[in-house]
Amino acid sequence: KAGVTQTPRYLIKTRGQQVTLSCSPISGHRSVSWYQQTPGQGLQFLFEYFSETQRNKGNFPGRFSGRQFSNSRSEMNVSTLELGDSALYLCASSLEGIRSGELFFGEGSRLTVL
Amino acid sequence: GESVGLHLPTLSVQEGDNSIINCAYSNSASDYFIWYKQESGKGPQFIIDIRSNMDKRQGQRVTVLLNKTVKHLSLQIAATQPGDSAVYFCAENMRGAGSARQLTFGSGTQLTVLP
């Protein structure tokens, strides 16, 4: 079965712009969680959605938001981009959510903010 | 600082030897721990997990040990192969406010398998 698909894979934005990233989970998975990965901070949890509801949220400013659609596809949005938002953004899908730990990650969307 | 950290950022082992990757955690409320492997250019991949009511769990060529007394977690890889070269992350999973779960990752260890 198809894995987790993230689009776009690479993108370049400038400070002040906004960006929307998309994640299509594995068929049948209702949980999608998002992570930011940087060399300095490592992997950090952004938020988790389950059946269209945000179930949990990490310690990120309100500029970072997300949503999940009825088909479980999810998007995350970052507004008013800052240089420090440059990172690899990963999404993961699972049947039960992060409570199970067995997350299936996509290959990520690499965002560069200039 | 991060509540989950790794003792060594890099580890090199000879092919065929056993590898041990260590992880320290600081939150005694964490009740579930997971190891992930991340190869270059890919997303992390689940390897093995362990709950706090266990101290050892074995998978295929991998064993996770949990020492709650000293808040230490380790991943042992038997007969390390070139395909095991990757960054390994430990993660702790704890119950936050309400029924929400929080997942905190360690900084990662780069494992390099030498021929």
Side-chain angles (χ1 to χ4, degrees):
Chain A
K1 83 182 156 177
V4 177
T5 304
Q6 291 188 246
T7 57
R9 290 293 313 280
Y10 302 91
L11 66 166
I12 299 173
K13 294 284 187 178
T14 56
R15 278 182 297 174
Q17 287 187 311
Q18 67 91 28
V19 66
T20 299
L21 308 177
S22 179
C23 174
S24 293
I26 291 171
S27 178
H29 286 188
R30 293 188 294 167
S31 164
V32 173
S33 50
W34 288 89
Y35 305 83
Q36 182 195 64
Q37 187 172 31
T38 61
Q41 298 297 319
L43 259 170
Q44 293 185 288
F45 170 73
L46 281 156
F47 28 66
E48 179 191 15
Y49 287 87
F50 189 91
S51 294
E52 301 180 67
T53 301
Q54 187 180 86
R55 192 154 76 172
N56 201 358
K57 192 176 191 304
N59 189 25
F60 278 81
R63 300 185 297 108
F64 292 81
S65 63
R67 59 178 174 168
Q68 186 179 34
F69 302 96
S70 58
N71 62 358
S72 293
R73 190 178 70 86
S74 177
E75 289 181 347
M76 68 162 282
N77 183 276
V78 188
S79 62
T80 320
L81 284 166
E82 300 176 0
L83 295 178
D85 296 333
S86 294
L88 180 67
Y89 290 89
L90 292 157
C91 84
S93 79
S94 71
L95 281 169
E96 298 176 19
I98 65 175
R99 67 181 66 179
S100 78
E102 189 161 5
L103 308 175
F104 295 83
F105 284 84
E107 296 191 330
S109 293
R110 184 165 294 281
L111 170 65
T112 301
V113 182
L114 303 176
Chain B
E2 292 183 49
S3 66
V4 178
L6 294 167
H7 293 310
L8 297 172
T10 62
L11 176 65
S12 296
V13 298
Q14 291 293 137
E15 182 178 353
D17 286 353
N18 297 334
S19 303
I20 300 176
I21 301 171
N22 296 304
C23 177
Y25 67 95
S26 59
N27 198 323
S28 56
S30 295
D31 58 2
Y32 178 42
F33 304 88
I34 312 105
W35 281 99
Y36 295 94
K37 169 187 179 184
Q38 187 174 24
E39 296 175 272
S40 181
K42 297 186 178 180
Q45 176 186 4
F46 172 90
I47 302 172
I48 192 167
D49 58 3
I50 188 168
R51 300 204 177 266
S52 59
N53 61 352
M54 303 171 70
D55 53 21
K56 180 179 180 179
R57 189 160 189 227
Q58 289 184 291
Q60 188 175 16
R61 282 202 307 118
V62 294
T63 301
V64 56
L65 300 176
L66 175 63
N67 186 331
K68 294 181 286 294
T69 303
V70 295
K71 296 179 187 164
H72 183 267
L73 192 67
S74 69
L75 177 71
Q76 300 178 1
I77 304 173
T80 312
Q81 301 169 359
D84 294 328
S85 292
V87 176
Y88 289 81
F89 295 94
C90 63
E92 60 178 313
N93 191 315
M94 58 175 274
R95 192 176 299 280
S99 62
R101 280 261 163 194
Q102 297 177 14
L103 192 60
T104 304
F105 290 86
S107 54
T109 292
Q110 171 71 59
L111 174 66
T112 301
V113 181
L114 306 171

